[in-house]
């Protein structure tokens, strides 16, 4: 049975681990002792690790479990929106000290936030990874790295109707967590390496349409959906992936 390492056992990491249960042996990092204890009690080999934006006086010790891991999934943020480039460099240096010269299959959970907020359709070619500091830094260190640019994380307890939302006539670029897990599973089975994919549901309704569906309000209005749409057509074409939740209007069902 393959061993999966998840760096960052948060909302998404937990759901990926849950979907892999029974298929793979899971190891993970978390930021608190109580969470680590909880995971270890569930049979997930967990250690405490965080990756600060500053240079540490002592370099991170390498994760002892890394030598046993076949597939590594990184869910911690490595975007400039959360820090400046120099801070981002420090975070990635701390992360790479922790995982060492890992040679196995590897995934970075990036974001569709790399695309500008313009009213057009975007593919991966519009913003190549060389223009995204965090993606570029990690790919330079780990050439085998797969980069998944995730849309807004939805499903389960995350529903658009629960949030304060503006620009209701703008398109959503959402993804259900079950499809993120499904796509990673497909890529693991195919032994995919060094790919960059947008990961968004292929249907892009307006925010108002999603909210009305979640509130069970009839909505038959026809209107032009505005805003940007981030397309996952490359992923569908290359992986032949069929989305479990293709339309954000049904994420709550």
């Amino acid at each position: 049975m393959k061993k999966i390492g998840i760096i960052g056992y948060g909302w998404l990491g937990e759901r990926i681990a849950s979907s892999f249960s029974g298929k793979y042996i899971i190891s993970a990092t978390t930021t608190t002792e109580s969470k680590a204890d909880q995971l270890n009690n569930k049979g997930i080999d967990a250690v405490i690790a965080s990756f600060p934006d500053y240079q540490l006086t002592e370099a991170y010790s390498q994760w002892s479990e890394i030598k046993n891991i076949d597939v590594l999934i990184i869910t911690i943020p490595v975007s400039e929106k959360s820090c400046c480039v120099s801070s981002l460099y420090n975070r990635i240096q701390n992360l790479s000290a922790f995982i060492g010269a890992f040679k196995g299959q590897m995934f970075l959970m990036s974001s569709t936030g790399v695309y500008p907020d313009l009213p057009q359709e975007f593919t991966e070619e519009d913003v190549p990874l060389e223009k995204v500091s965090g993606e570029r830094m990690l790919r330079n260190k780990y050439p085998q790295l797969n980069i998944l640019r995730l849309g807004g994380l939805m499903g389960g307890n995350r529903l658009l109707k629960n949030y304060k939302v503006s620009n209701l006539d703008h398109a959503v670029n959402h993804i259900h967590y079950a499809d993120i897990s499904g796509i990673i599973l497909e890529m693991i089975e195919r032994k995919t390496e060094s790919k960059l994919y947008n990961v968004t549901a292929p249907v892009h309704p307006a925010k108002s349409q999603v909210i009305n569906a979640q509130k069970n309000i009839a909505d038959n209005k026809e209107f032009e959906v505005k805003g940007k749409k981030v397309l996952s057509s490359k992923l569908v074409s290359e992986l032949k992936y069929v989305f479990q939740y293709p339309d954000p209007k049904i994420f709550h069902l």
Side-chain angles (χ1 to χ4, degrees):
M1 194 180 282
K2 278 189 175 179
K3 294 191 175 181
I4 307 283
I6 299 175
I7 294 195
Y9 194 93
W11 188 89
L12 179 58
E14 180 180 1
R15 280 152 184 80
I16 292 172
S18 178
S19 70
F20 287 5
S21 179
K23 299 184 185 80
Y24 302 106
I25 298 166
I26 309 290
S27 296
T29 73
T30 185
T31 55
T32 66
E33 193 171 340
S34 60
K35 187 78 172 283
D37 289 342
Q38 181 187 341
L39 295 182
N40 282 307
N41 289 336
K42 285 170 62 175
I44 293 173
D45 181 14
V47 296
I48 300 168
S50 60
F51 305 97
D53 298 339
Y54 51 84
Q55 199 167 3
L56 298 170
T57 50
E58 287 184 35
Y60 244 109
S61 299
Q62 190 170 306
W63 192 7
S64 61
E65 190 60 27
I66 198 73
K67 62 185 181 295
N68 301 317
I69 287 171
D70 301 294
V71 180
L72 192 63
I73 300 169
I74 301 167
T75 73
I76 63 168
V78 290
S79 72
E80 289 174 57
K81 289 190 175 179
S82 58
C83 58
C84 62
V85 175
S86 59
S87 298
L88 188 58
Y89 174 81
N90 290 333
R91 177 180 295 176
I92 289 173
Q93 288 295 103
N94 293 330
L95 173 62
S96 58
F98 183 69
I99 61 179
F102 183 74
K103 301 294 185 191
Q105 200 178 18
M106 198 169 177
F107 295 84
L108 171 67
M109 302 298 104
S110 186
S111 168
T112 55
V114 303
Y115 298 105
D117 199 9
L118 297 172
Q120 66 184 71
E121 294 183 337
F122 287 98
T123 69
E124 294 84 353
E125 292 177 356
D126 293 308
V127 180
L129 69 90
E130 289 78 14
K131 293 187 175 180
V132 182
S133 298
E135 294 179 357
R136 183 184 69 248
M137 289 179 197
L138 267 176
R139 177 65 77 75
N140 285 344
K141 285 182 176 292
Y142 304 99
Q144 78 274 30
L145 180 72
N146 293 303
I147 299 166
L148 303 184
R149 290 176 175 167
L150 307 181
L153 303 180
M154 292 289 168
N157 58 354
R158 283 199 180 188
L159 296 173
L160 195 61
K161 69 175 184 179
N162 299 333
Y163 296 87
K164 188 175 181 181
V165 178
S166 58
N167 299 323
L168 289 169
D169 57 351
H170 281 49
V172 298
N173 295 286
H174 287 171
I175 183 68
H176 195 288
Y177 66 80
D179 278 310
I180 298 172
S181 299
I183 288 160
I184 294 172
L185 279 169
E186 181 68 27
M187 293 175 75
I188 290 172
E189 287 172 12
R190 287 172 175 258
K191 298 181 170 60
T192 305
E193 293 196 333
S194 309
K195 289 292 186 179
L196 169 65
Y197 289 134
N198 294 332
V199 181
T200 57
V203 180
H204 299 268
K207 296 175 188 177
S208 63
Q209 293 172 317
V210 174
I211 291 168
N212 285 339
Q214 291 171 355
K215 291 182 175 180
N216 203 25
I217 296 171
D219 184 357
N220 300 315
K221 281 190 299 182
E222 291 286 331
F223 64 91
E224 181 190 357
V225 179
K226 298 178 182 176
K228 76 176 178 183
K229 295 180 182 178
V230 180
L231 306 182
S232 56
S233 43
K234 179 184 173 188
L235 177 153
V236 172
S237 169
E238 293 188 3
L239 296 181
K240 305 294 185 283
Y241 183 76
V242 178
F243 281 80
Q244 299 170 58
Y245 292 90
D247 187 344
K249 296 197 298 293
I250 64 165
F251 280 10
H252 63 294
L253 301 178

